[in-house]
């Protein structure tokens, strides 16, 4: 089997004081590999997918560096059958499996990376202290004291 993922619309990002909401739209093309030739495949069916996710963001000081970190709190995957070459079937089992996979593997994987953080960019010889991050209705505010040496 081979899965191909395609975005069908631009992703949506909505910021609020409680965090960020992401919506991603796409298709999952499920191909079946032909026997004896792993590079030749045939389309079995196409699933429409809408992924809803929620995350929180925070700042973390590590030594003299400032990191923007995150924590994914929710992911829900909504699947629908777009087209099929193998006959109609109910996607509820696949949807429940995808949501279970997101709880058991995808959220921990994202959080493992996001909790490590991304370095906040600073200019040479500049340090940020007493930094705080605030999310609001469609904005991100980073406030800090700047120490220049």
């Amino acid at each position: 089997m081979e899965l191909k993922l395609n975005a069908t619309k631009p992703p949506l990002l909505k910021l609020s004081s409680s965090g960020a909401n992401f919506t991603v739209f796409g298709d999952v093309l499920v191909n079946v590999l032909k026997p004896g030739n792993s590079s030749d495949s045939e389309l079995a069916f196409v699933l429409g997918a809408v992924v809803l996710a929620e995350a929180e963001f925070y700042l973390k000081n590590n030594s003299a560096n400032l990191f923007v970190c995150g924590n994914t709190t929710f992911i829900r995957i909504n699947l629908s059958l777009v087209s099929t070459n193998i006959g109609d079937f109910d996607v509820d089992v696949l949807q429940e499996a995808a949501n279970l996979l997101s709880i058991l593997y995808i959220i921990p994987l994202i959080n493992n990376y996001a909790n490590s953080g991304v370095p906040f960019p600073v200019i040479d010889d500049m340090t940020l202290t007493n930094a705080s991050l605030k999310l609001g209705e469609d904005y991100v505010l980073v406030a800090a004291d700047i120490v220049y040496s």
Side-chain angles (χ1 to χ4, degrees), residues 84-131:
T84 178
N85 292 327
I86 60 171
D88 287 341
F89 61 92
D90 189 3
V91 298
D92 288 346
V93 172
L94 291 175
Q95 181 165 317
E96 290 306 315
N99 286 318
L100 186 60
L101 181 71
S102 74
I103 292 168
L104 296 176
Y105 297 104
I106 297 172
I107 290 175
L109 180 69
I110 291 170
N111 285 342
N112 185 44
Y113 176 76
N115 288 328
S116 301
V118 176
F120 193 84
V122 292
I123 299 170
D124 290 340
D125 301 324
M126 185 177 83
T127 306
L128 301 177
T129 60
N130 301 319

Side-chain angles (χ1 to χ4, degrees), residues 58-92:
Y58 59 95
L59 296 175
K60 178 171 63 174
N61 275 321
N62 186 357
S63 301
N65 298 320
L66 184 65
F67 291 86
V68 178
C69 302
N71 184 49
T72 302
T73 56
F74 174 82
I75 293 180
R76 173 80 180 159
I77 302 169
N78 297 317
L79 297 175
S80 62
L81 186 60
V82 174
S83 66
T84 178
N85 292 327
I86 60 171
D88 287 341
F89 61 92
D90 189 3
V91 298
D92 288 346

